[in-house]
Amino acid sequence: MTTTHPKASDNSATNSATHTALWALVAVSGVANLVSSIAQAPLVVNLATGLVTLAALTALGTRHLRARRTRF
């Protein structure tokens, strides 16, 4: 019995939109983190923007590894 997994390219419109949204989130949260650091905002703001950036980068990395795994 074989198990088939959907390929990353099966739903390319959704994948493309998600990919773009994640990169936009990385950019916006990165800039927000930079601005909050320069403006000497409270530590909570720096941590929040940093965690959002980290989460988006983790999601992008996970998507990349899963797509790479399904190609081979």
Side-chain angles (χ1 to χ4, degrees):
M1 184 165 142
T2 60
T3 304
T4 59
H5 298 285
K7 294 193 182 253
S9 62
D10 285 350
N11 199 355
S12 62
T14 302
N15 282 337
S16 178
T18 304
H19 186 80
T20 303
L22 284 171
W23 274 113
L25 184 59
V26 168
V28 169
S29 62
V31 169
N33 198 357
L34 176 70
V35 169
S36 67
S37 293
I38 291 172
Q40 296 179 350
L43 180 62
V44 173
V45 176
N46 285 330
L47 289 175
T49 55
L51 287 174
V52 169
T53 305
L54 180 63
L57 288 170
T58 302
L60 281 167
T62 302
R63 287 171 43 85
H64 173 72
L65 290 176
R66 285 185 181 167
R68 184 174 158 199
R69 205 173 286 151
T70 58
R71 277 185 248 156
F72 297 110

